[in-house]
Amino acid sequence: MNMEAQNLSSHSPSIGAILIDSGRLEPAAAEQILRLQQNKPGLRFGDAAMQLGLLDEQDIQFALSRQFVYSYLQASDDRISQEVVAAFNPFSHIVEQLRALRSQLLLRWFDAQIGRKALSVVSANHGEGRSFVAANLAVVFSQLGERTLIVDADLRAPRQHELFKRANKFGFSTVLADRIPWREAVRRIEGLQGLFLMTAGAIPPNPQELLSRPRFAGLMEELKEHYDIVIFDTPPGASVSDAQPISAQAGGALVVASQHKTAVGGLKSLVANLKQNGVAIAGSLLNKT
């Protein structure tokens, strides 16, 4: 027994130790796995465990995520909405696509050396997946080890507080109105290392005026000093012009379109308006759901 325990702790941390500490594996079962490994040199711990029927693929992925400091939540965790799929199922096809998008943005847009740390997520209309993309993109950036803040800058019909199940009494609007310091409006997302949220706050009667205040420019610089990645969710660009000043402050925009909802004319108009305001189009995403 002592020899087996030493084997489990010889790696820092080993898959076996992680699974035992999390309650997913009994020490006696770990001994069975280690004996099978001894009889079959080269057989990995996870493969041996699944051969014996002691663990499944989800258990192995959980252990690997902890071993490589890749945080995600279990399906039973109700602290945030299941719509934030990257937080619950990081090995799914849709999250693989989000990681590919993340890689492209890191190559083509984000550059800390020249201060490119912020990005707005925009779409022409409601229901095109903009808030979904913003939330999940923020999660995959945090899983990369980037200190990531998502700001709900939709001061008309905000959603991020619903996705992350947070109160929305104070947030972006109250910070722009100089009612509270920005640090008091930021909440850490438990269970997802390095992810932070600033909700929209109370819906104001004058979102355009708030977004045009000099306070926004100062806030942007403060946020970029404190975080590696800052992602802004925005209102739909076809119905209101709020996305323009938000994207102008961020410097770049990711354009989201829906395969079955987005009209080409509206999308072209949105992109043209962004470019006229000096906003770089950092990328685009076609939502097929």
mmCIF file with all atom_site columns, all heavy atoms in Angstrom, residues 184-209:
data_model
loop_
_atom_site.group_PDB
_atom_site.id
_atom_site.type_symbol
_atom_site.label_atom_id
_atom_site.label_alt_id
_atom_site.label_comp_id
_atom_site.label_asym_id
_atom_site.label_entity_id
_atom_site.label_seq_id
_atom_site.pdbx_PDB_ins_code
_atom_site.Cartn_x
_atom_site.Cartn_y
_atom_site.Cartn_z
_atom_site.occupancy
_atom_site.B_iso_or_equiv
_atom_site.pdbx_formal_charge
_atom_site.auth_seq_id
_atom_site.auth_comp_id
_atom_site.auth_asym_id
_atom_site.auth_atom_id
_atom_site.pdbx_PDB_model_num
ATOM 1   N N   . GLU A 1 184 ? -15.353 47.887 -7.969  1.00 0.00 ? 184 GLU A N   1
ATOM 2   C CA  . GLU A 1 184 ? -16.509 47.419 -7.199  1.00 0.00 ? 184 GLU A CA  1
ATOM 3   C C   . GLU A 1 184 ? -17.580 46.792 -8.089  1.00 0.00 ? 184 GLU A C   1
ATOM 4   O O   . GLU A 1 184 ? -18.487 46.126 -7.593  1.00 0.00 ? 184 GLU A O   1
ATOM 5   C CB  . GLU A 1 184 ? -17.109 48.581 -6.404  1.00 0.00 ? 184 GLU A CB  1
ATOM 6   C CG  . GLU A 1 184 ? -16.196 49.093 -5.294  1.00 0.00 ? 184 GLU A CG  1
ATOM 7   C CD  . GLU A 1 184 ? -16.844 50.178 -4.463  1.00 0.00 ? 184 GLU A CD  1
ATOM 8   O OE1 . GLU A 1 184 ? -18.090 50.359 -4.569  1.00 0.00 ? 184 GLU A OE1 1
ATOM 9   O OE2 . GLU A 1 184 ? -16.117 50.850 -3.698  1.00 0.00 ? 184 GLU A OE2 1
ATOM 10  N N   . ALA A 1 185 ? -17.463 47.007 -9.400  1.00 0.00 ? 185 ALA A N   1
ATOM 11  C CA  . ALA A 1 185 ? -18.447 46.457 -10.335 1.00 0.00 ? 185 ALA A CA  1
ATOM 12  C C   . ALA A 1 185 ? -17.993 45.144 -10.958 1.00 0.00 ? 185 ALA A C   1
ATOM 13  O O   . ALA A 1 185 ? -18.743 44.524 -11.710 1.00 0.00 ? 185 ALA A O   1
ATOM 14  C CB  . ALA A 1 185 ? -18.729 47.475 -11.442 1.00 0.00 ? 185 ALA A CB  1
ATOM 15  N N   . VAL A 1 186 ? -16.775 44.708 -10.659 1.00 0.00 ? 186 VAL A N   1
ATOM 16  C CA  . VAL A 1 186 ? -16.227 43.490 -11.265 1.00 0.00 ? 186 VAL A CA  1
ATOM 17  C C   . VAL A 1 186 ? -16.413 42.317 -10.310 1.00 0.00 ? 186 VAL A C   1
ATOM 18  O O   . VAL A 1 186 ? -16.156 42.427 -9.105  1.00 0.00 ? 186 VAL A O   1
ATOM 19  C CB  . VAL A 1 186 ? -14.734 43.674 -11.605 1.00 0.00 ? 186 VAL A CB  1
ATOM 20  C CG1 . VAL A 1 186 ? -14.105 42.356 -12.047 1.00 0.00 ? 186 VAL A CG1 1
ATOM 21  C CG2 . VAL A 1 186 ? -14.575 44.722 -12.703 1.00 0.00 ? 186 VAL A CG2 1
ATOM 22  N N   . ARG A 1 187 ? -16.857 41.195 -10.859 1.00 0.00 ? 187 ARG A N   1
ATOM 23  C CA  . ARG A 1 187 ? -17.031 39.984 -10.067 1.00 0.00 ? 187 ARG A CA  1
ATOM 24  C C   . ARG A 1 187 ? -16.198 38.849 -10.648 1.00 0.00 ? 187 ARG A C   1
ATOM 25  O O   . ARG A 1 187 ? -16.168 38.639 -11.863 1.00 0.00 ? 187 ARG A O   1
ATOM 26  C CB  . ARG A 1 187 ? -18.510 39.555 -10.062 1.00 0.00 ? 187 ARG A CB  1
ATOM 27  C CG  . ARG A 1 187 ? -19.434 40.569 -9.390  1.00 0.00 ? 187 ARG A CG  1
ATOM 28  C CD  . ARG A 1 187 ? -19.172 40.634 -7.895  1.00 0.00 ? 187 ARG A CD  1
ATOM 29  N NE  . ARG A 1 187 ? -20.028 41.609 -7.231  1.00 0.00 ? 187 ARG A NE  1
ATOM 30  C CZ  . ARG A 1 187 ? -19.667 42.869 -6.995  1.00 0.00 ? 187 ARG A CZ  1
ATOM 31  N NH1 . ARG A 1 187 ? -18.463 43.298 -7.377  1.00 0.00 ? 187 ARG A NH1 1
ATOM 32  N NH2 . ARG A 1 187 ? -20.491 43.694 -6.386  1.00 0.00 ? 187 ARG A NH2 1
ATOM 33  N N   . ARG A 1 188 ? -15.517 38.124 -9.790  1.00 0.00 ? 188 ARG A N   1
ATOM 34  C CA  . ARG A 1 188 ? -14.778 36.932 -10.201 1.00 0.00 ? 188 ARG A CA  1
ATOM 35  C C   . ARG A 1 188 ? -15.768 35.796 -10.443 1.00 0.00 ? 188 ARG A C   1
ATOM 36  O O   . ARG A 1 188 ? -16.709 35.613 -9.676  1.00 0.00 ? 188 ARG A O   1
ATOM 37  C CB  . ARG A 1 188 ? -13.779 36.534 -9.120  1.00 0.00 ? 188 ARG A CB  1
ATOM 38  C CG  . ARG A 1 188 ? -12.904 35.326 -9.478  1.00 0.00 ? 188 ARG A CG  1
ATOM 39  C CD  . ARG A 1 188 ? -12.081 34.903 -8.259  1.00 0.00 ? 188 ARG A CD  1
ATOM 40  N NE  . ARG A 1 188 ? -11.215 35.963 -7.807  1.00 0.00 ? 188 ARG A NE  1
ATOM 41  C CZ  . ARG A 1 188 ? -9.980  36.159 -8.256  1.00 0.00 ? 188 ARG A CZ  1
ATOM 42  N NH1 . ARG A 1 188 ? -9.471  35.333 -9.174  1.00 0.00 ? 188 ARG A NH1 1
ATOM 43  N NH2 . ARG A 1 188 ? -9.236  37.147 -7.796  1.00 0.00 ? 188 ARG A NH2 1
ATOM 44  N N   . ILE A 1 189 ? -15.554 35.037 -11.521 1.00 0.00 ? 189 ILE A N   1
ATOM 45  C CA  . ILE A 1 189 ? -16.412 33.896 -11.809 1.00 0.00 ? 189 ILE A CA  1
ATOM 46  C C   . ILE A 1 189 ? -15.799 32.664 -11.161 1.00 0.00 ? 189 ILE A C   1
ATOM 47  O O   . ILE A 1 189 ? -14.748 32.176 -11.583 1.00 0.00 ? 189 ILE A O   1
ATOM 48  C CB  . ILE A 1 189 ? -16.579 33.680 -13.324 1.00 0.00 ? 189 ILE A CB  1
ATOM 49  C CG1 . ILE A 1 189 ? -17.127 34.950 -13.980 1.00 0.00 ? 189 ILE A CG1 1
ATOM 50  C CG2 . ILE A 1 189 ? -17.492 32.491 -13.593 1.00 0.00 ? 189 ILE A CG2 1
ATOM 51  C CD1 . ILE A 1 189 ? -18.459 35.414 -13.447 1.00 0.00 ? 189 ILE A CD1 1
ATOM 52  N N   . GLU A 1 190 ? -16.443 32.171 -10.117 1.00 0.00 ? 190 GLU A N   1
ATOM 53  C CA  . GLU A 1 190 ? -15.911 31.048 -9.349  1.00 0.00 ? 190 GLU A CA  1
ATOM 54  C C   . GLU A 1 190 ? -15.850 29.794 -10.208 1.00 0.00 ? 190 GLU A C   1
ATOM 55  O O   . GLU A 1 190 ? -16.749 29.511 -10.994 1.00 0.00 ? 190 GLU A O   1
ATOM 56  C CB  . GLU A 1 190 ? -16.783 30.784 -8.117  1.00 0.00 ? 190 GLU A CB  1
ATOM 57  C CG  . GLU A 1 190 ? -16.804 31.909 -7.101  1.00 0.00 ? 190 GLU A CG  1
ATOM 58  C CD  . GLU A 1 190 ? -17.826 32.980 -7.432  1.00 0.00 ? 190 GLU A CD  1
ATOM 59  O OE1 . GLU A 1 190 ? -18.515 32.832 -8.468  1.00 0.00 ? 190 GLU A OE1 1
ATOM 60  O OE2 . GLU A 1 190 ? -17.923 33.958 -6.672  1.00 0.00 ? 190 GLU A OE2 1
ATOM 61  N N   . GLY A 1 191 ? -14.783 29.051 -10.057 1.00 0.00 ? 191 GLY A N   1
ATOM 62  C CA  . GLY A 1 191 ? -14.617 27.799 -10.771 1.00 0.00 ? 191 GLY A CA  1
ATOM 63  C C   . GLY A 1 191 ? -13.925 27.946 -12.109 1.00 0.00 ? 191 GLY A C   1
ATOM 64  O O   . GLY A 1 191 ? -13.522 26.948 -12.715 1.00 0.00 ? 191 GLY A O   1
ATOM 65  N N   . LEU A 1 192 ? -13.798 29.173 -12.596 1.00 0.00 ? 192 LEU A N   1
ATOM 66  C CA  . LEU A 1 192 ? -13.130 29.422 -13.869 1.00 0.00 ? 192 LEU A CA  1
ATOM 67  C C   . LEU A 1 192 ? -11.994 30.410 -13.619 1.00 0.00 ? 192 LEU A C   1
ATOM 68  O O   . LEU A 1 192 ? -12.203 31.624 -13.552 1.00 0.00 ? 192 LEU A O   1
ATOM 69  C CB  . LEU A 1 192 ? -14.116 29.969 -14.905 1.00 0.00 ? 192 LEU A CB  1
ATOM 70  C CG  . LEU A 1 192 ? -15.232 29.001 -15.303 1.00 0.00 ? 192 LEU A CG  1
ATOM 71  C CD1 . LEU A 1 192 ? -16.269 29.709 -16.150 1.00 0.00 ? 192 LEU A CD1 1
ATOM 72  C CD2 . LEU A 1 192 ? -14.674 27.789 -16.042 1.00 0.00 ? 192 LEU A CD2 1
ATOM 73  N N   . GLN A 1 193 ? -10.821 29.868 -13.471 1.00 0.00 ? 193 GLN A N   1
ATOM 74  C CA  . GLN A 1 193 ? -9.677  30.669 -13.060 1.00 0.00 ? 193 GLN A CA  1
ATOM 75  C C   . GLN A 1 193 ? -9.384  31.766 -14.076 1.00 0.00 ? 193 GLN A C   1
ATOM 76  O O   . GLN A 1 193 ? -9.304  31.528 -15.276 1.00 0.00 ? 193 GLN A O   1
ATOM 77  C CB  . GLN A 1 193 ? -8.451  29.770 -12.906 1.00 0.00 ? 193 GLN A CB  1
ATOM 78  C CG  . GLN A 1 193 ? -7.232  30.465 -12.335 1.00 0.00 ? 193 GLN A CG  1
ATOM 79  C CD  . GLN A 1 193 ? -6.110  29.475 -12.065 1.00 0.00 ? 193 GLN A CD  1
ATOM 80  O OE1 . GLN A 1 193 ? -6.312  28.276 -12.100 1.00 0.00 ? 193 GLN A OE1 1
ATOM 81  N NE2 . GLN A 1 193 ? -4.921  29.980 -11.796 1.00 0.00 ? 193 GLN A NE2 1
ATOM 82  N N   . GLY A 1 194 ? -9.234  32.997 -13.572 1.00 0.00 ? 194 GLY A N   1
ATOM 83  C CA  . GLY A 1 194 ? -8.838  34.108 -14.428 1.00 0.00 ? 194 GLY A CA  1
ATOM 84  C C   . GLY A 1 194 ? -9.966  34.775 -15.185 1.00 0.00 ? 194 GLY A C   1
ATOM 85  O O   . GLY A 1 194 ? -9.715  35.623 -16.047 1.00 0.00 ? 194 GLY A O   1
ATOM 86  N N   . LEU A 1 195 ? -11.234 34.433 -14.873 1.00 0.00 ? 195 LEU A N   1
ATOM 87  C CA  . LEU A 1 195 ? -12.365 35.028 -15.579 1.00 0.00 ? 195 LEU A CA  1
ATOM 88  C C   . LEU A 1 195 ? -13.116 35.980 -14.655 1.00 0.00 ? 195 LEU A C   1
ATOM 89  O O   . LEU A 1 195 ? -13.453 35.629 -13.529 1.00 0.00 ? 195 LEU A O   1
ATOM 90  C CB  . LEU A 1 195 ? -13.313 33.942 -16.095 1.00 0.00 ? 195 LEU A CB  1
ATOM 91  C CG  . LEU A 1 195 ? -14.515 34.449 -16.910 1.00 0.00 ? 195 LEU A CG  1
ATOM 92  C CD1 . LEU A 1 195 ? -14.049 35.168 -18.167 1.00 0.00 ? 195 LEU A CD1 1
ATOM 93  C CD2 . LEU A 1 195 ? -15.444 33.297 -17.271 1.00 0.00 ? 195 LEU A CD2 1
ATOM 94  N N   . PHE A 1 196 ? -13.403 37.183 -15.183 1.00 0.00 ? 196 PHE A N   1
ATOM 95  C CA  . PHE A 1 196 ? -14.078 38.220 -14.413 1.00 0.00 ? 196 PHE A CA  1
ATOM 96  C C   . PHE A 1 196 ? -15.197 38.821 -15.255 1.00 0.00 ? 196 PHE A C   1
ATOM 97  O O   . PHE A 1 196 ? -15.136 38.825 -16.485 1.00 0.00 ? 196 PHE A O   1
ATOM 98  C CB  . PHE A 1 196 ? -13.087 39.318 -14.001 1.00 0.00 ? 196 PHE A CB  1
ATOM 99  C CG  . PHE A 1 196 ? -11.924 38.814 -13.182 1.00 0.00 ? 196 PHE A CG  1
ATOM 100 C CD1 . PHE A 1 196 ? -10.822 38.260 -13.810 1.00 0.00 ? 196 PHE A CD1 1
ATOM 101 C CD2 . PHE A 1 196 ? -11.957 38.873 -11.803 1.00 0.00 ? 196 PHE A CD2 1
ATOM 102 C CE1 . PHE A 1 196 ? -9.745  37.784 -13.068 1.00 0.00 ? 196 PHE A CE1 1
ATOM 103 C CE2 . PHE A 1 196 ? -10.890 38.400 -11.049 1.00 0.00 ? 196 PHE A CE2 1
ATOM 104 C CZ  . PHE A 1 196 ? -9.780  37.845 -11.688 1.00 0.00 ? 196 PHE A CZ  1
ATOM 105 N N   . LEU A 1 197 ? -16.216 39.346 -14.565 1.00 0.00 ? 197 LEU A N   1
ATOM 106 C CA  . LEU A 1 197 ? -17.391 39.893 -15.248 1.00 0.00 ? 197 LEU A CA  1
ATOM 107 C C   . LEU A 1 197 ? -17.752 41.257 -14.678 1.00 0.00 ? 197 LEU A C   1
ATOM 108 O O   . LEU A 1 197 ? -17.768 41.456 -13.467 1.00 0.00 ? 197 LEU A O   1
ATOM 109 C CB  . LEU A 1 197 ? -18.587 38.944 -15.065 1.00 0.00 ? 197 LEU A CB  1
ATOM 110 C CG  . LEU A 1 197 ? -19.959 39.471 -15.499 1.00 0.00 ? 197 LEU A CG  1
ATOM 111 C CD1 . LEU A 1 197 ? -20.038 39.639 -17.008 1.00 0.00 ? 197 LEU A CD1 1
ATOM 112 C CD2 . LEU A 1 197 ? -21.070 38.545 -14.996 1.00 0.00 ? 197 LEU A CD2 1
ATOM 113 N N   . MET A 1 198 ? -18.048 42.188 -15.588 1.00 0.00 ? 198 MET A N   1
ATOM 114 C CA  . MET A 1 198 ? -18.697 43.443 -15.220 1.00 0.00 ? 198 MET A CA  1
ATOM 115 C C   . MET A 1 198 ? -20.053 43.442 -15.912 1.00 0.00 ? 198 MET A C   1
ATOM 116 O O   . MET A 1 198 ? -20.133 43.492 -17.146 1.00 0.00 ? 198 MET A O   1
ATOM 117 C CB  . MET A 1 198 ? -17.892 44.675 -15.668 1.00 0.00 ? 198 MET A CB  1
ATOM 118 C CG  . MET A 1 198 ? -18.533 46.001 -15.254 1.00 0.00 ? 198 MET A CG  1
ATOM 119 S SD  . MET A 1 198 ? -17.688 47.475 -15.933 1.00 0.00 ? 198 MET A SD  1
ATOM 120 C CE  . MET A 1 198 ? -16.134 47.418 -15.017 1.00 0.00 ? 198 MET A CE  1
ATOM 121 N N   . THR A 1 199 ? -21.124 43.316 -15.148 1.00 0.00 ? 199 THR A N   1
ATOM 122 C CA  . THR A 1 199 ? -22.464 43.306 -15.739 1.00 0.00 ? 199 THR A CA  1
ATOM 123 C C   . THR A 1 199 ? -22.795 44.703 -16.270 1.00 0.00 ? 199 THR A C   1
ATOM 124 O O   . THR A 1 199 ? -22.064 45.665 -16.049 1.00 0.00 ? 199 THR A O   1
ATOM 125 C CB  . THR A 1 199 ? -23.511 42.872 -14.713 1.00 0.00 ? 199 THR A CB  1
ATOM 126 O OG1 . THR A 1 199 ? -23.579 43.859 -13.673 1.00 0.00 ? 199 THR A OG1 1
ATOM 127 C CG2 . THR A 1 199 ? -23.175 41.514 -14.119 1.00 0.00 ? 199 THR A CG2 1
ATOM 128 N N   . ALA A 1 200 ? -23.938 44.818 -16.949 1.00 0.00 ? 200 ALA A N   1
ATOM 129 C CA  . ALA A 1 200 ? -24.323 46.102 -17.536 1.00 0.00 ? 200 ALA A CA  1
ATOM 130 C C   . ALA A 1 200 ? -24.746 47.110 -16.476 1.00 0.00 ? 200 ALA A C   1
ATOM 131 O O   . ALA A 1 200 ? -24.581 48.320 -16.651 1.00 0.00 ? 200 ALA A O   1
ATOM 132 C CB  . ALA A 1 200 ? -25.460 45.899 -18.529 1.00 0.00 ? 200 ALA A CB  1
ATOM 133 N N   . GLY A 1 201 ? -25.282 46.622 -15.366 1.00 0.00 ? 201 GLY A N   1
ATOM 134 C CA  . GLY A 1 201 ? -25.807 47.532 -14.361 1.00 0.00 ? 201 GLY A CA  1
ATOM 135 C C   . GLY A 1 201 ? -27.214 47.968 -14.713 1.00 0.00 ? 201 GLY A C   1
ATOM 136 O O   . GLY A 1 201 ? -27.808 47.512 -15.699 1.00 0.00 ? 201 GLY A O   1
ATOM 137 N N   . ALA A 1 202 ? -27.742 48.878 -13.936 1.00 0.00 ? 202 ALA A N   1
ATOM 138 C CA  . ALA A 1 202 ? -29.099 49.375 -14.165 1.00 0.00 ? 202 ALA A CA  1
ATOM 139 C C   . ALA A 1 202 ? -29.209 49.988 -15.555 1.00 0.00 ? 202 ALA A C   1
ATOM 140 O O   . ALA A 1 202 ? -28.309 50.690 -16.010 1.00 0.00 ? 202 ALA A O   1
ATOM 141 C CB  . ALA A 1 202 ? -29.460 50.402 -13.104 1.00 0.00 ? 202 ALA A CB  1
ATOM 142 N N   . ILE A 1 203 ? -30.332 49.706 -16.234 1.00 0.00 ? 203 ILE A N   1
ATOM 143 C CA  . ILE A 1 203 ? -30.523 50.248 -17.585 1.00 0.00 ? 203 ILE A CA  1
ATOM 144 C C   . ILE A 1 203 ? -30.792 51.750 -17.486 1.00 0.00 ? 203 ILE A C   1
ATOM 145 O O   . ILE A 1 203 ? -31.769 52.173 -16.849 1.00 0.00 ? 203 ILE A O   1
ATOM 146 C CB  . ILE A 1 203 ? -31.689 49.529 -18.288 1.00 0.00 ? 203 ILE A CB  1
ATOM 147 C CG1 . ILE A 1 203 ? -31.340 48.051 -18.483 1.00 0.00 ? 203 ILE A CG1 1
ATOM 148 C CG2 . ILE A 1 203 ? -31.993 50.188 -19.629 1.00 0.00 ? 203 ILE A CG2 1
ATOM 149 C CD1 . ILE A 1 203 ? -32.440 47.221 -19.089 1.00 0.00 ? 203 ILE A CD1 1
ATOM 150 N N   . PRO A 1 204 ? -29.939 52.564 -18.089 1.00 0.00 ? 204 PRO A N   1
ATOM 151 C CA  . PRO A 1 204 ? -30.073 54.018 -17.969 1.00 0.00 ? 204 PRO A CA  1
ATOM 152 C C   . PRO A 1 204 ? -31.021 54.588 -19.031 1.00 0.00 ? 204 PRO A C   1
ATOM 153 O O   . PRO A 1 204 ? -31.268 53.952 -20.062 1.00 0.00 ? 204 PRO A O   1
ATOM 154 C CB  . PRO A 1 204 ? -28.644 54.511 -18.212 1.00 0.00 ? 204 PRO A CB  1
ATOM 155 C CG  . PRO A 1 204 ? -28.100 53.518 -19.204 1.00 0.00 ? 204 PRO A CG  1
ATOM 156 C CD  . PRO A 1 204 ? -28.736 52.185 -18.848 1.00 0.00 ? 204 PRO A CD  1
ATOM 157 N N   . PRO A 1 205 ? -31.537 55.803 -18.820 1.00 0.00 ? 205 PRO A N   1
ATOM 158 C CA  . PRO A 1 205 ? -32.375 56.432 -19.835 1.00 0.00 ? 205 PRO A CA  1
ATOM 159 C C   . PRO A 1 205 ? -31.567 57.035 -20.982 1.00 0.00 ? 205 PRO A C   1
ATOM 160 O O   . PRO A 1 205 ? -32.124 57.395 -22.011 1.00 0.00 ? 205 PRO A O   1
ATOM 161 C CB  . PRO A 1 205 ? -33.114 57.526 -19.042 1.00 0.00 ? 205 PRO A CB  1
ATOM 162 C CG  . PRO A 1 205 ? -32.156 57.886 -17.960 1.00 0.00 ? 205 PRO A CG  1
ATOM 163 C CD  . PRO A 1 205 ? -31.449 56.611 -17.587 1.00 0.00 ? 205 PRO A CD  1
ATOM 164 N N   . ASN A 1 206 ? -30.235 57.143 -20.787 1.00 0.00 ? 206 ASN A N   1
ATOM 165 C CA  . ASN A 1 206 ? -29.390 57.848 -21.753 1.00 0.00 ? 206 ASN A CA  1
ATOM 166 C C   . ASN A 1 206 ? -28.129 57.069 -22.113 1.00 0.00 ? 206 ASN A C   1
ATOM 167 O O   . ASN A 1 206 ? -27.007 57.554 -21.918 1.00 0.00 ? 206 ASN A O   1
ATOM 168 C CB  . ASN A 1 206 ? -28.990 59.217 -21.186 1.00 0.00 ? 206 ASN A CB  1
ATOM 169 C CG  . ASN A 1 206 ? -28.249 59.082 -19.851 1.00 0.00 ? 206 ASN A CG  1
ATOM 170 O OD1 . ASN A 1 206 ? -28.365 58.063 -19.158 1.00 0.00 ? 206 ASN A OD1 1
ATOM 171 N ND2 . ASN A 1 206 ? -27.468 60.085 -19.506 1.00 0.00 ? 206 ASN A ND2 1
ATOM 172 N N   . PRO A 1 207 ? -28.252 55.840 -22.633 1.00 0.00 ? 207 PRO A N   1
ATOM 173 C CA  . PRO A 1 207 ? -27.039 55.051 -22.923 1.00 0.00 ? 207 PRO A CA  1
ATOM 174 C C   . PRO A 1 207 ? -26.082 55.729 -23.900 1.00 0.00 ? 207 PRO A C   1
ATOM 175 O O   . PRO A 1 207 ? -24.855 55.663 -23.713 1.00 0.00 ? 207 PRO A O   1
ATOM 176 C CB  . PRO A 1 207 ? -27.594 53.743 -23.504 1.00 0.00 ? 207 PRO A CB  1
ATOM 177 C CG  . PRO A 1 207 ? -29.001 54.030 -23.869 1.00 0.00 ? 207 PRO A CG  1
ATOM 178 C CD  . PRO A 1 207 ? -29.469 55.093 -22.951 1.00 0.00 ? 207 PRO A CD  1
ATOM 179 N N   . GLN A 1 208 ? -26.593 56.395 -24.933 1.00 0.00 ? 208 GLN A N   1
ATOM 180 C CA  . GLN A 1 208 ? -25.714 57.057 -25.887 1.00 0.00 ? 208 GLN A CA  1
ATOM 181 C C   . GLN A 1 208 ? -24.865 58.123 -25.211 1.00 0.00 ? 208 GLN A C   1
ATOM 182 O O   . GLN A 1 208 ? -23.662 58.234 -25.477 1.00 0.00 ? 208 GLN A O   1
ATOM 183 C CB  . GLN A 1 208 ? -26.547 57.679 -27.019 1.00 0.00 ? 208 GLN A CB  1
ATOM 184 C CG  . GLN A 1 208 ? -26.754 56.761 -28.205 1.00 0.00 ? 208 GLN A CG  1
ATOM 185 C CD  . GLN A 1 208 ? -25.489 56.608 -29.022 1.00 0.00 ? 208 GLN A CD  1
ATOM 186 O OE1 . GLN A 1 208 ? -24.808 57.585 -29.332 1.00 0.00 ? 208 GLN A OE1 1
ATOM 187 N NE2 . GLN A 1 208 ? -25.144 55.374 -29.357 1.00 0.00 ? 208 GLN A NE2 1
ATOM 188 N N   . GLU A 1 209 ? -25.483 58.912 -24.325 1.00 0.00 ? 209 GLU A N   1
ATOM 189 C CA  . GLU A 1 209 ? -24.744 59.968 -23.640 1.00 0.00 ? 209 GLU A CA  1
ATOM 190 C C   . GLU A 1 209 ? -23.688 59.384 -22.700 1.00 0.00 ? 209 GLU A C   1
ATOM 191 O O   . GLU A 1 209 ? -22.559 59.892 -22.615 1.00 0.00 ? 209 GLU A O   1
ATOM 192 C CB  . GLU A 1 209 ? -25.710 60.867 -22.860 1.00 0.00 ? 209 GLU A CB  1
ATOM 193 C CG  . GLU A 1 209 ? -26.552 61.794 -23.722 1.00 0.00 ? 209 GLU A CG  1
ATOM 194 C CD  . GLU A 1 209 ? -27.669 61.070 -24.444 1.00 0.00 ? 209 GLU A CD  1
ATOM 195 O OE1 . GLU A 1 209 ? -28.003 59.913 -24.057 1.00 0.00 ? 209 GLU A OE1 1
ATOM 196 O OE2 . GLU A 1 209 ? -28.223 61.658 -25.388 1.00 0.00 ? 209 GLU A OE2 1
#
